[in-house]
Amino acid sequence: MANKLPKILFCCLANRLRSRTAYEYFSVKYAGKYEVDSCGLGKTSVKQTQMEHWSSAKHFTKELYQSADYIFCMEREHVMEIMRRNNDGGWGLDLTKLYCLDIDDIYHYNDPPLIELLEKKVPEYLESLTQI
């Protein structure tokens, strides 16, 4: 039986631009090393009014969170939203696997500057986390 790969979950508001780009990029880059997934916080987020077609994206759930080893949020606001849902729902989630990449919502899907930023930040985090 093969060992289960560690799972990375990328999370942003709508799972349309930043987290989707991260998912697609790192699914290829880390194939065979990590399982990669992505989700959006959906319509309960503070920026709900700015979202279009949010219903077609994969949404954040307790189960999705629990299945991941590393959760990378694009903004601090997303970290706070997950913590709020954890507290309000009494989920008892392990919040130590939650990390903020501090990537603002200014990029388009597959935007080269976004990929550059992800390529700089994500491997640094993973290297520091896997050496603990």
Side-chain angles (χ1 to χ4, degrees), residues 85-113:
R85 291 183 191 190
N86 180 53
N87 291 338
D88 291 354
W91 290 354
L93 299 177
D94 175 8
L95 298 176
T96 63
K97 60 184 180 177
L98 190 57
Y99 307 96
C100 182
L101 294 173
D102 287 315
I103 298 177
D104 292 327
D105 193 7
I106 59 172
Y107 300 98
H108 297 284
Y109 170 69
N110 261 343
D111 201 350

Side-chain angles (χ1 to χ4, degrees), residues 17-60:
L17 304 174
R18 293 171 291 170
S19 61
R20 182 173 165 209
T21 297
Y23 163 73
E24 291 180 5
Y25 180 78
F26 288 110
S27 289
V28 173
K29 179 178 174 94
Y30 291 146
K33 186 172 182 180
Y34 292 98
E35 179 184 346
V36 181
D37 204 350
S38 66
C39 68
L41 289 167
K43 67 179 185 176
T44 60
S45 174
V46 176
K47 294 182 183 178
Q48 174 185 357
T49 57
Q50 298 175 12
M51 293 177 57
E52 294 179 11
H53 311 295
W54 68 269
S55 61
S56 64
K58 181 186 273 186
H59 296 287
F60 173 86

